[in-house]
Amino acid sequence: MMDVQLASLLASGAFIIIGLFAAIFIDNLIKKIIGIAFIEEGVNLFLICLGFKAGGVVPILLPGMTADWFAANAAYPLPQALVLTSIVIGASTLAVMLALAMVLYRKHGTLSVSEMMGDEK
């Protein structure tokens, strides 16, 4: 059976690869934005995998825990804090990207990036 951390790392890599494919090769602006969101979530999952500790406990020192036991068994809290911050920032940037997509659609009447750029042959 595959380890949970390895499966999560493979899933994060898949998210990043799918997101890169969508952001680079797909012509629809909304699909490009979804691809960028996939990249962001893949990076978040990767960061969470870095802080994972098999059999670890939540990094909150509770009554009855000794400092030595806590240091040996607690999951690494920094990636969790980084991901929480990234989620908030990601939601804001996603909203801005979607608002810009709405403005571009109203101006050009299409969501095709190649038609907006005038590359249509």
Side-chain angles (χ1 to χ4, degrees), residues 24-91:
I24 294 171
F25 296 113
I26 296 180
D27 191 44
N28 189 307
L29 189 60
I30 298 296
K31 292 179 183 177
K32 284 183 180 289
I33 292 171
I34 292 171
I36 292 170
F38 264 55
I39 295 169
E40 175 195 356
E41 296 308 320
V43 171
N44 286 343
L45 182 58
F46 178 75
L47 287 173
I48 288 296
C49 289
L50 292 179
F52 176 76
K53 182 182 241 181
V57 296
V58 177
I60 299 173
L61 185 60
L62 297 174
M65 291 182 181
T66 63
D68 293 333
W69 183 88
F70 178 75
N73 294 309
Y76 192 48
L78 182 63
Q80 297 174 16
L82 290 173
V83 168
L84 284 174
T85 305
S86 174
I87 289 170
V88 172
I89 293 169

